[in-house]
Amino acid sequence: MTTDNPFFALSDLPYQLPPFDRIDVEHYLPAFERGMQEQRAEVAAIAADPEPPTFDNTLVALERSGRVLQRVSAAFFTVTSADTNPRLQEIEAEVVPRLSAHSDAIMLDPGLYRRIKSLYERRDELGLEPESAWLLERYRVEFARAGAELSAQQHVRLREINAELAKLATEFGNLVRDEMKAGAVVVDTEAELDGLTEDAIAAAAVAARDRGLDGKYVLNLILPTAQPALAALHDRALRERLHTASIGRGAHGDANDTSAIVLRIVRLRAERARLLGFEHHAAYNIADNTARSVGAVEEMLAKLVPAAMANAAAEAEDLQAAIGDDFTLQPWDWAYYTERIRRERYAIDENELRPYFELERVLRDGVFFAAGKLYGLRFDERPDLRAYHPDARVFEVFDRDGGPLGLYVGDFFTRASKRGGAWANALVAQSRLFGTAPVAVNNLNINRAPDGEPTLLTLDEVRTLFHEFGHALHTLFSQVYFPKFAGTRVPRDFVEYPSQVNEVWMLWPEVLASYALHHRTGESLPQEVVERLQAAERFNEGFATTEYLAATLLDLAWHTLDADAAAAVDVVVAFESAALERAGVATPFVPPRYRTTYFAHIFSGAAYSAGYYSYIWSEVLDADTVDWLTERGGLRRDSGDAFRDGLLAKGGSADAMEVYRTFRGRDPLIEPLLKRRGLTSDVTR
């Protein structure tokens, strides 16, 4: 496993795709060990270099370091997210704290930081071109934020905190995955599933068979609180069971309870923030995002909450009127009666739409079609290239000039070994320094249809596919020199912006006409239905905005606790209830999109901690850009080239908001977002 380890050399496959057919689970740990050892030696040589620090012998050398570690990390964490198993989880539990310690050893190396700081102090004398100057700026900031300027004694505690946080994040993610599987709702008879489509019932039967429950049906849980089947199930008792299973995850006091982990993570993050000179974790995280301050985020959110809550309250009144005096509206009734009103008001039935949204056609004639029209791309499937799982399909992407651009890996189906939600990542990052082209990955969690049957999507699943593909485009279009800046390596509250822009094409008439064809008859989605879909775009927006804002404000509530306040919290559920009440988003009808105990975005990693606000912050840019695209006529190649070359290709190689201002010619306006969400016009950013 060491002499023939595939990670020890560059992959010989196209685009350096990892050779998954030659990778064994036991290759990972030796590759991590060699990768860390090699990079430690490389960094030690940089720090001890007797020559005065230069851009090349310090920063370029840092960018060149750790290639084995980069290769194994990209492959390993792709697999552990999408197709884990007990042995991989054991390796993950061992290696994640070691990676944290490895990162600390680099970021807290005093000799290395002295060289970086020396270069930074002489930056005006170095004659650096813009991307190189930004690389120096980012290294200086990141080392300082990592604690490079703290004392040796403080470094000891900081390393301990980082190692424990890495361990806890892995444990949280594994428990959430296990709890999703354990919390799936088992149904005894098909009659109880009345309201679901035939293919949805068949998918539930397949899910039951996968668990050895032949003759029964299983409703798998998705990561967010709202479960899709709630919109269709006529059986109110089953709706209640499904909703209760969803919101109770991680809070049962059993082996999968995440409450203790949450409290420990919050306390450690608050302690680390204090050690680094910040009031709390939110202040630390947001300072390096485009928002810059917690106050700016809170000001925006506070102005959005009243309008969202007012809209949600009006929607609740409509739902209660639809219910009548039979019973009082409950959370598990919301989606069901919303669908009833949607059908009555707009003559739109989600179940009647699904036959027009067949996965393969949505992918090829929707997502790929739009990318072809706007950017001139072509996608050819490569069945000869094997990804990490048989479901993961590999496509070669050809550029506007017909030349090769990169690879796209699409992994669309749910399975027990995959974590919940949808996400994008890169197996190979584009970089002119290394001459590498990008390999982008999209993961979704769509229920698989029985063999021989088409997989039909909900409208929300169509939107998710377009969204995640927007991240893939950001990765594929990267044109940077240094791998640090490749693709989506941008501030957290900027990264969702390009992906949200890509959602606009799902209902764009030309795109919809291309993919929305009935899977049996081939008939187009009727034009009157298209018009009703467009008219209904803001329908139920009060619910959608409120559930999102509730999760966002819950994230901020946990992460604006200082170290003393965090130590005083001892009951997760009680804190959550009080925080939602205090923020003005406590409503029995609209639970947060994620409750604390399964809020994987913020507790199974640090990326979105104190950063879940990023979606709506980015949506300001998104809505403003969509207005620009619309004004220019939509799917036009000149617009696509301008957006691609002026923004997407830049990755993180410059200040994100400066990139936006250069592309758009001004600061973003918030009015397009307010119009899209049906909010009042007196909100300002």
Side-chain angles (χ1 to χ4, degrees):
M1 290 300 172
T2 55
T3 57
D4 61 350
N5 195 305
F7 294 112
F8 291 170
L10 289 176
S11 169
D12 57 2
L13 294 178
Y15 304 92
Q16 296 183 22
L17 178 72
F20 287 107
D21 59 339
R22 304 197 298 271
I23 296 172
D24 185 271
V25 66
E26 297 305 331
H27 285 130
Y28 288 114
L29 192 54
F32 273 118
E33 289 171 340
R34 178 182 283 195
M36 287 187 280
Q37 182 182 22
E38 285 186 359
Q39 190 172 31
R40 282 196 299 270
E42 291 163 344
V43 169
I46 297 168
D49 190 340
E51 294 295 320
T54 66
F55 184 81
D56 284 340
N57 72 17
T58 303
L59 296 188
V60 175
L62 273 174
E63 284 292 279
R64 289 187 178 280
S65 71
R67 300 309 293 161
V68 170
L69 185 58
Q70 185 279 325
R71 289 196 293 271
V72 65
S73 296
F76 180 77
F77 290 110
T78 294
V79 173
T80 55
S81 294
D83 187 30
T84 194
N85 60 50
R87 178 57 182 145
L88 284 171
Q89 290 177 349
E90 289 175 5
I91 296 171
E92 186 177 21
E94 177 180 350
V95 80
V96 167
R98 292 173 64 179
L99 287 171
S100 175
H102 174 74
S103 175
D104 283 344
I106 295 171
M107 304 300 283
L108 302 180
D109 184 312
L112 182 60
Y113 184 57
R114 279 194 297 272
R115 294 179 71 86
I116 293 171
K117 195 170 182 181
S118 171
L119 287 170
Y120 185 75
E121 289 168 350
R122 296 184 289 112
R123 61 192 180 279
D124 294 336
E125 307 167 11
L126 301 178
L128 300 176
E129 52 82 31
E131 185 175 340
S132 297
W134 188 243
L135 185 73
L136 175 56
E137 171 69 20
R138 291 310 304 161
Y139 266 116
R140 196 272 310 173
V141 168
E142 289 172 11
F143 270 72
R145 284 175 55 80
E149 296 182 345
L150 299 181
S151 68
Q153 184 177 1
Q154 290 172 316
H155 282 180
V156 172
R157 180 57 186 149
L158 185 60
R159 291 171 192 258
E160 292 172 347
I161 291 171
N162 288 342
E164 187 175 357
L165 281 171
K167 177 175 177 289
L168 291 169
T170 299
E171 291 177 2
F172 184 93
N174 288 337
L175 288 178
V176 169
R177 183 191 292 116
D178 293 346
E179 183 72 341
M180 283 179 63
K181 183 178 179 181
V185 174
V186 179
V187 180
D188 292 328
T189 67
E190 183 175 337
E192 295 172 86
L193 299 178
D194 188 27
L196 296 186
T197 59
E198 289 183 8
D199 67 289
I201 294 171
V206 170
R209 284 199 299 274
D210 289 345
R211 292 168 178 255
L213 299 172
D214 287 9
K216 295 184 183 293
Y217 303 84
V218 167
L219 298 176
N220 287 319
L221 299 182
I222 64 170
L223 187 58
T225 298
Q227 302 297 314
L230 291 174
L233 289 167
H234 296 322
D235 188 325
R236 188 168 187 248
L238 180 55
R239 295 204 306 270
E240 182 177 2
R241 281 179 61 203
L242 184 57
H243 174 80
T244 301
S246 180
I247 65 169
R249 284 173 284 171
H252 295 301
D254 58 11
N256 289 338
D257 195 302
T258 61
S259 300
I261 294 177
V262 165
L263 293 176
R264 185 64 179 156
I265 288 174
V266 168
R267 291 165 185 166
L268 287 170
R269 285 175 175 169
E271 181 186 352
R272 181 176 61 185
R274 175 181 285 180
L275 189 62
L276 293 168
F278 291 85
E279 182 183 0
H280 40 59
H281 181 71
Y284 169 76
N285 254 18
I286 295 174
D288 202 36
N289 281 341
T290 67
R292 301 299 183 201
S293 73
V294 175
V297 175
E298 290 180 332
E299 181 180 4
M300 179 187 184
L301 296 177
K303 291 178 177 179
L304 295 174
V305 165
M309 289 290 284
N311 288 356
E315 290 164 6
E317 290 179 5
D318 283 349
L319 297 178
Q320 188 63 63
I323 293 168
D325 298 328
D326 293 345
F327 53 83
T328 301
L329 175 70
Q330 296 295 337
W332 50 88
D333 300 316
W334 190 289
Y336 182 78
Y337 285 93
T338 291
E339 278 308 302
R340 176 180 291 185
I341 292 175
R342 193 198 308 268
R343 287 194 299 270
E344 293 173 354
R345 190 171 298 172
Y346 301 103
I348 292 173
D349 184 339
E350 280 274 7
N351 287 336
E352 292 179 2
L353 288 175
R354 293 181 70 241
Y356 293 90
F357 300 148
E358 190 268 321
L359 172 60
E360 192 68 16
R361 193 179 291 276
V362 173
L363 177 67
R364 292 184 179 275
D365 298 337
V367 172
F368 291 171
F369 172 80
K373 296 288 288 187
L374 191 62
Y375 304 113
L377 303 186
R378 188 180 93 244
F379 298 81
D380 289 352
E381 190 155 8
R382 292 288 303 269
D384 58 310
L385 296 179
R386 176 180 165 184
Y388 51 84
H389 187 277
D391 287 347
R393 302 160 61 188
V394 181
F395 298 83
E396 187 168 12
V397 187
F398 294 92
D399 208 347
R400 52 194 170 191
D401 63 358
L405 180 63
L407 294 179
Y408 170 72
V409 180
D411 185 357
F412 306 120
F413 296 119
T414 191
R415 50 183 172 266
S417 61
K418 182 188 282 193
R419 70 175 171 88
W423 66 94
N425 63 283
L427 277 167
V428 180
Q430 176 273 330
S431 165
R432 292 201 303 275
L433 177 65
F434 293 112
T436 51
V439 178
V441 183
N442 276 171
N443 265 277
L444 278 70
N445 268 280
I446 297 167
N447 284 319
R448 182 196 301 277
D451 290 345
E453 293 295 319
T455 295
L456 306 181
L457 309 185
T458 65
L459 189 64
D460 189 58
E461 287 169 336
V462 175
R463 180 176 290 106
T464 300
L465 182 52
F466 274 87
H467 176 97
E468 296 304 331
F469 191 74
H471 287 305
L473 288 174
H474 203 175
T475 296
L476 290 165
F477 288 153
S478 178
Q479 284 296 316
V480 299
Y481 190 80
F482 298 108
K484 183 180 214 44
F485 300 140
T488 58
R489 295 172 183 178
V490 296
R492 179 55 54 188
D493 57 5
F494 194 83
V495 74
E496 297 298 338
Y497 153 49
S499 56
Q500 290 172 176
V501 168
N502 204 60
E503 292 179 30
V504 71
W505 308 120
M506 67 172 285
L507 290 181
W508 197 261
E510 185 179 358
V511 180
L512 196 63
S514 176
Y515 76 83
L517 306 177
H518 197 285
H519 73 97
R520 294 193 192 280
T521 67
E523 295 177 357
S524 299
L525 187 66
Q527 182 58 34
E528 63 267 27
V529 177
V530 174
E531 292 170 0
R532 292 197 297 268
L533 271 176
Q534 292 166 339
E537 278 194 273
R538 283 194 281 174
F539 178 70
N540 204 41
E541 194 60 50
F543 176 93
T545 307
T546 299
E547 69 156 3
Y548 166 75
L549 290 174
T552 299
L553 291 161
L554 185 57
D555 170 29
L556 288 177
W558 282 115
H559 291 117
T560 50
L561 294 172
D562 62 26
D564 295 332
V569 178
D570 54 6
V571 180
V572 167
V573 174
F575 177 86
E576 178 181 290
S577 297
L580 295 174
E581 191 72 43
R582 203 164 46 246
V585 288
T587 167
F589 309 123
V590 188
R593 183 176 296 177
Y594 302 100
R595 295 190 65 184
T596 300
T597 50
Y598 52 91
F599 206 159
H601 279 72
I602 66 173
F603 291 122
S604 67
Y608 280 92
S609 61
Y612 197 65
Y613 76 89
S614 300
Y615 289 92
I616 203 159
W617 189 270
S618 295
E619 196 178 347
V620 174
L621 310 180
D622 150 35
D624 195 41
T625 300
V626 168
D627 264 17
W628 174 83
L629 287 164
T630 303
E631 290 165 3
R632 292 169 60 96
L635 280 169
R636 287 177 41 172
R637 278 295 312 282
D638 59 342
S639 299
D641 288 345
F643 186 47
R644 169 184 176 166
D645 297 334
L647 195 139
L648 298 177
K650 305 293 185 184
S653 63
D655 178 87
M657 291 309 298
E658 286 302 319
V659 170
Y660 183 86
R661 291 185 191 100
T662 301
F663 157 67
R664 193 69 173 92
R666 58 165 171 75
D667 284 328
L669 303 178
I670 196 172
E671 284 73 18
L673 168 66
L674 302 177
K675 179 181 178 182
R676 174 189 288 181
R677 286 188 172 256
L679 301 176
T680 56
S681 59
D682 60 349
V683 182
T684 56
R685 187 167 186 175

